[in-house]
Amino acid sequence: SLDEAEKGYRQALAARHRAGEIESLSNGWTLDGLAVTVAEKGDHAAAEPIARESLAMRRKLLGPNHVEVGMSLSTLGEILSSQKKFDEAETVLSEATEVFRNHGGPEHPYVAYGLLGLGNVLLRNGDATAAETPMRQALGIRLRKLSEDSWEIAAARSDLADCLIQLGRFDEAEALLVP
């Protein structure tokens, strides 16, 4: 359960703190997992400072352009979006996408993850026109890099279809969902 997962993350952090391990890659990873768990339980306001702590720790230990920093940025961006802090979420997810691009190149699957997150923030903020481009880019990367039956391709198709529906382009949306 999510309650058990949260308890486990908190116990792991407490044990490491008692052992004198305050800033470590393990703690950064655990904090990120804790932030996601707390957010999944619906307490996005409590998850935000945990995600920020994870991001700060990873930046300090790994530098600003490490893939794990990008993952923490993505986690924070999703949490901010859930709180309707769309402008900051857009900034954070744009930074995550750039970190992923610097890490693995423009066609890396993590870039698609960042672009899809960015597109979803724009869509949730009511800007379907702006959301379409990053969503199409994400789907394109996934189609080129993953097998056609991948759930990640299905998710990108579904998100782009939602965007197209909001734009009133129903035939295009249907074609994505029923290829």
Side-chain angles (χ1 to χ4, degrees), residues 17-133:
H17 282 228
R18 283 192 302 275
E21 183 181 332
I22 305 301
E23 289 186 337
S24 68
L25 294 179
S26 296
N27 281 348
W29 185 260
T30 302
L31 285 166
D32 209 60
L34 177 60
V36 169
T37 301
V38 171
E40 285 180 3
K41 288 176 62 178
D43 194 351
H44 303 286
E48 182 182 339
I50 299 167
R52 289 186 187 281
E53 184 180 356
S54 172
L55 174 59
M57 190 177 298
R58 285 177 162 178
R59 274 188 172 143
K60 180 177 180 182
L61 296 171
L62 299 168
N65 290 311
H66 194 279
V67 68
E68 287 190 33
V69 171
M71 296 304 255
S72 286
L73 285 163
S74 291
T75 298
L76 177 59
E78 290 172 16
I79 290 168
L80 292 168
S81 178
S82 296
Q83 296 178 84
K84 296 183 175 21
K85 296 179 179 181
F86 297 121
D87 291 341
E88 187 178 4
E90 182 180 347
T91 299
V92 167
L93 288 166
S94 292
E95 184 181 350
T97 303
E98 202 52 40
V99 168
F100 294 144
R101 196 173 276 126
N102 290 338
H103 167 74
E107 290 287 306
H108 194 279
Y110 285 170
V111 173
Y113 179 76
L115 288 167
L116 204 55
L118 179 59
N120 278 309
V121 165
L122 293 166
L123 192 62
R124 292 176 83 190
N125 197 24
D127 194 352
T129 301
E132 182 180 1
T133 298

Side-chain angles (χ1 to χ4, degrees), residues 132 135-136 139 155-165 176:
E132 182 180 1
M135 287 182 162
R136 282 197 184 279
L139 177 58
R157 284 182 186 278
S158 176
D159 288 350
L160 179 55
D162 286 344
C163 178
L164 294 171
I165 288 168
L176 280 171

